[in-house]
């Protein structure tokens, strides 16, 4: 009774997006909220239990950098004196709780569609930082959408609202079209535009066809990103983002709730000799040994200014 009436409301008050901007602290509290429901049975499930379990696991999947090693996150660091932020509960135990409750959550959502709709809306608010899990009566002004799992056997647990395309909701978009080969079918079904989706099977939140995740650690540590990290992000250890458009040599992310985009370019590794039009075959003289007498001034100017204009480049 104490946990239900005092502890859970207190923990949720601490991590209300309006007053808590510390992602590490929110991760810690969400992990403990999941742990509080460890011993719940299906008969004890209600709106609060499934909404807490769903919102907390989605929040952690977006904002916590789970260890990829066999041991716990405190040891997963190249510098033992600087361990990553810990959720103070073994990751394997969090995964075990989530996986153990997943079937019962889906069963409860199937049998209680109104609670499921409200829980999905709570996930959206928590994942995007636009509001708390539980709303007051005055805050419940926006009409609640109806959420259903995509109607295809391979998509059970992928919930989309009734505002999505009907062919997406009933799963008919996965049916092959006349004359469509496997390559074209795969391209079509994997790039089908989804406005918003909550995947209960793997605890993922997708917005505008892009899964929300943490910004790559190499970007977080990059010297060109440090000013933004220290001023705009208050020196945060991690920040949630979503892919905008990735190309061969450019990555483009949008920082969630920050009104900032991040772009990172990789060097072009193509051999310019193989690129048609990259070299003009009318100009084949080598620099500076093949300059004409009236062109030697070009070498004098370039060789003096080259280290400033093109550092570490040899002509």
């Amino acid at each position: 009774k104490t946990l239900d009436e005092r502890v859970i409301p207190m923990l949720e008050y601490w991590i209300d997006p309006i007053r808590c901007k510390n992602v590490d602290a929110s991760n810690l509290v969400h992990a403990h909220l999941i742990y509080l429901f460890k011993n719940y049975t299906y008969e004890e499930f209600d709106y609060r239990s499934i909404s807490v379990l769903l919102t907390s696991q989605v929040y952690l999947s977006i904002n916590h950098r789970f260890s990829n090693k066999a041991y716990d996150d405190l040891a997963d660091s190249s510098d033992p004196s600087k361990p990553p932020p810990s959720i103070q509960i073994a990751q394997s135990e969090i995964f075990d709780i989530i996986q153990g409750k997943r079937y019962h959550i889906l069963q409860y959502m199937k049998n209680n569609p109104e609670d499921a709709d409200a829980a999905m809306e709570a996930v959206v608010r928590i994942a995007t930082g636009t509001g708390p899990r539980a709303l007051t009566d005055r805050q419940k002004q926006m009409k609640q959408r109806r959420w259903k799992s995509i109607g295809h056997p391979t998509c059970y647990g992928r919930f989309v609202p009734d505002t999505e395309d009907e062919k997406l909701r009933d799963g008919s978009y996965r049916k092959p079209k006349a004359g469509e080969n496997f390559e074209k079918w795969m391209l079509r079904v994997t790039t089908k535009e989804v406005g918003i989706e909550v995947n209960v099977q793997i605890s993922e939140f997708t917005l505008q066809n892009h899964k929300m995740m943490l910004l790559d650690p190499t970007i977080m540590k990059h010297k060109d990103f440090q000013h933004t990290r220290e001023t705009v992000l208050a020196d945060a250890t991690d920040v949630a983002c979503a892919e905008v458009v990735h190309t061969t040599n450019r990555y483009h992310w949008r920082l969630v709730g920050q009104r900032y985009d991040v772009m990172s370019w990789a060097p072009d590794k193509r051999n310019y000799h193989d690129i048609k039009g990259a070299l003009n075959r009318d100009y084949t003289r080598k620099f500076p040994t093949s300059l004409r007498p009236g062109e030697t001034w070009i070498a004098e100017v370039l060789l003096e200014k080259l280290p400033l204009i093109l550092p570490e480049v040899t002509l």
Side-chain angles (χ1 to χ4, degrees):
K1 186 176 179 180
T2 301
L3 290 176
D4 288 341
E5 296 181 0
R6 300 183 63 181
V7 175
I8 292 176
M10 178 181 66
L11 292 176
E12 293 195 307
Y13 176 83
W14 287 351
I15 57 173
D16 188 320
I18 296 175
R19 60 179 60 88
C20 181
K21 304 298 181 184
N22 188 321
V23 175
D24 294 338
S26 295
N27 286 335
L28 179 64
V29 174
H30 277 292
H32 282 74
L33 283 170
I34 290 175
Y35 195 80
L36 288 175
F37 293 93
K38 177 181 179 180
N39 296 318
Y40 262 52
T41 62
Y42 176 79
E43 289 71 24
E44 296 174 288
F45 270 10
D46 54 13
Y47 162 71
R48 187 186 64 173
S49 56
I50 68 160
S51 61
V52 168
L53 286 167
L54 286 170
T55 56
S56 292
Q57 62 183 276
V58 169
Y59 186 90
L60 287 175
S61 73
I62 296 171
N63 295 286
H64 182 64
R65 203 177 298 281
F66 284 99
S67 169
N68 58 2
K69 302 289 180 66
Y71 38 78
D72 202 12
D73 53 353
L74 280 176
D76 190 14
S77 172
S78 57
D79 186 354
S81 67
K82 298 178 181 179
S86 173
I87 53 177
Q88 297 182 2
I89 299 174
Q91 294 180 164
S92 56
E93 187 153 15
I94 291 295
F95 294 146
D96 183 63
I97 296 171
I98 293 172
Q99 189 59 30
K101 305 298 180 191
R102 203 181 305 279
Y103 171 78
H104 290 152
I105 290 174
L106 287 167
Q107 191 69 18
Y108 182 89
M109 295 174 71
K110 181 179 179 180
N111 297 331
N112 301 271
E114 290 187 2
D115 284 353
D117 295 340
M120 290 292 103
E121 296 294 351
V123 170
V124 174
R125 291 193 298 273
I126 292 295
T128 58
T130 55
R133 179 194 64 83
L135 296 178
T136 62
D137 291 336
R138 194 174 70 174
Q139 292 172 316
K140 296 177 181 178
Q141 296 178 354
M142 187 177 294
K143 184 180 178 181
Q144 188 166 278
R145 293 171 291 186
R146 296 295 305 275
W147 291 71
K148 287 188 177 181
S149 180
I150 296 177
H152 191 275
T154 63
C155 297
Y156 185 65
R158 292 178 56 191
F159 284 82
V160 293
D162 54 10
T163 52
E164 293 293 329
D165 178 29
E166 185 178 352
K167 290 185 178 179
L168 171 68
R169 288 185 281 127
D170 63 17
S172 60
Y173 78 100
R174 298 182 65 87
K175 294 180 180 179
K177 296 180 179 180
E180 187 177 43
N181 60 28
F182 177 77
E183 181 181 359
K184 291 181 179 179
W185 175 85
M186 179 63 75
L187 179 65
R188 179 171 59 82
V189 299
T190 55
T191 57
K192 173 70 175 175
E193 185 174 346
V194 180
I196 190 168
E197 176 191 327
V198 178
N199 192 329
V200 178
Q201 288 287 6
I202 54 177
S203 308
E204 280 187 353
F205 176 75
T206 301
L207 193 62
Q208 298 301 328
N209 235 40
H210 297 299
K211 181 182 71 173
M212 293 178 67
M213 64 191 77
L214 289 178
L215 187 62
D216 192 286
T218 57
I219 302 298
M220 292 292 295
K221 297 175 183 177
H222 198 283
K223 60 183 180 66
D224 291 341
F225 189 66
Q226 294 312 300
H227 177 72
T228 302
R229 178 178 174 179
E230 293 169 2
T231 55
V232 178
L233 304 178
D235 207 21
T237 54
D238 282 304
V239 60
C241 67
E243 173 192 337
V244 178
V245 178
H246 289 347
T247 57
T248 304
N249 292 306
R250 189 208 65 192
Y251 296 92
H252 184 182
W253 299 278
R254 179 156 296 146
L255 304 186
V256 177
Q258 300 294 338
R259 299 185 182 180
Y260 274 82
D261 283 17
V262 177
M263 296 185 187
S264 175
W265 280 265
D268 190 343
K269 296 182 179 180
R270 295 174 296 175
N271 188 333
Y272 65 89
H273 288 283
D274 299 331
I275 303 175
K276 185 178 180 181
L279 293 177
N280 192 323
R281 302 300 177 182
D282 296 333
Y283 304 99
T284 57
R285 289 183 294 151
K286 292 185 178 181
F287 178 87
T289 55
S290 299
L291 290 175
R292 298 188 179 98
E295 298 171 340
T296 54
W297 65 272
I298 298 175
E300 295 173 0
V301 172
L302 275 180
L303 294 176
E304 179 184 352
K305 302 295 184 182
L306 184 63
L308 300 175
I309 303 172
L310 300 172
E312 301 180 9
V313 173
T314 302
L315 295 180

